[in-house]
Amino acid sequence: MPEKKTFKITHNRKWCKNCGICVAVCPKKVFEIDRNDRHAIVNPQDCIGCQMCVEHCPDFALTVEEVKNE
């Protein structure tokens, strides 16, 4: 069985306006809005690397990169 790919999500809080688009478009519910109405990465292990959050972020505040297991 192939090894599950893992991804590193980087969130630039200085650029983020907490619009919630990443929360809405993520098929795996990796993001949530926390109690302070701020974007939070809550399930990074569930990321499948689809890049939907990156493609839809109007602030260019997210990056998703595959972690190479060596």
Side-chain angles (χ1 to χ4, degrees):
M1 179 163 50
E3 191 173 317
K4 182 183 183 293
K5 292 182 179 182
T6 56
F7 298 90
K8 177 184 175 191
I9 305 164
T10 305
H11 175 224
N12 185 331
R13 287 204 176 269
K14 291 181 182 178
W15 295 355
C16 180
K17 290 186 271 202
N18 297 299
C19 67
I21 291 174
C22 57
V23 176
V25 301
C26 181
K28 293 297 186 177
K29 308 295 183 213
V30 171
F31 307 99
E32 286 183 3
I33 299 296
D34 68 15
R35 63 179 173 220
N36 298 316
D37 289 329
R38 302 218 14 117
H39 159 281
I41 301 168
V42 293
N43 297 308
Q45 71 282 354
D46 293 340
C47 180
I48 58 172
C50 69
Q51 303 281 332
M52 292 292 288
C53 58
V54 174
E55 291 174 13
H56 288 88
C57 180
D59 303 315
F60 305 102
L62 293 166
T63 58
V64 175
E65 301 171 285
E66 185 177 352
V67 175
K68 299 290 184 187
N69 299 323
E70 297 181 21

